[in-house]
Amino acid sequence: MGVELNNHPFTSPAPITLWEPPCCAAVYAIFARGPSCGPGSSRLIYVGESDSLSERGFWHSHPHHGCWLQQAGGDDNLYIALHLMPVSTPKERHTVQAEIIAACRPCCNTD
């Protein structure tokens, strides 16, 4: 079962340390799990977009990785979910990203 963010379907969050990035365009959501979220729960901390997540050297080199670690307490508490958009334009992905950020206000999108 996946998650829905602002009426956009995402895959179920997967541990980022075990995740294999796909070679396609997507909007992605980063979640933090841990003691501050309660047992078994998570909170949305970042939303981004990419034309190919595998080309980014993705999560370790991401400019917001430090904020993610601060919020999650470590890489083991980071999860990622995807809204795959393989035939999308950058403008379409930016629109979805902006809608979710406006509705959910993830803390690492504001730094």
Side-chain angles (χ1 to χ4, degrees):
M1 175 187 256
V3 295
E4 194 165 294
L5 297 173
N6 204 45
N7 297 317
H8 298 286
F10 281 74
T11 61
S12 294
I16 203 164
T17 56
L18 303 175
W19 178 69
E20 290 292 329
C23 294
C24 75
V27 173
Y28 57 92
I30 304 296
F31 293 87
R33 288 193 179 166
S36 65
C37 302
S41 64
S42 63
R43 62 189 169 92
L44 178 66
I45 60 171
Y46 185 81
V47 177
E49 68 81 26
S50 176
D51 62 347
S52 179
L53 294 168
S54 65
E55 292 178 9
R56 206 175 240 205
F58 184 64
W59 58 282
H60 271 287
S61 63
H62 194 282
H64 293 277
H65 184 244
C67 182
W68 302 350
L69 290 178
Q70 184 179 25
Q71 295 298 316
D75 286 332
D76 289 341
N77 293 328
L78 290 173
Y79 288 72
I80 187 167
L82 304 176
H83 174 55
L84 298 175
M85 300 178 69
V87 294
S88 62
T89 65
K91 183 177 180 180
E92 290 168 328
R93 292 189 306 277
H94 283 284
T95 298
V96 171
Q97 176 189 17
E99 288 172 2
I100 295 169
I101 290 169
C104 301
R105 300 176 132 352
C107 59
C108 291
N109 282 100
T110 60
D111 65 350

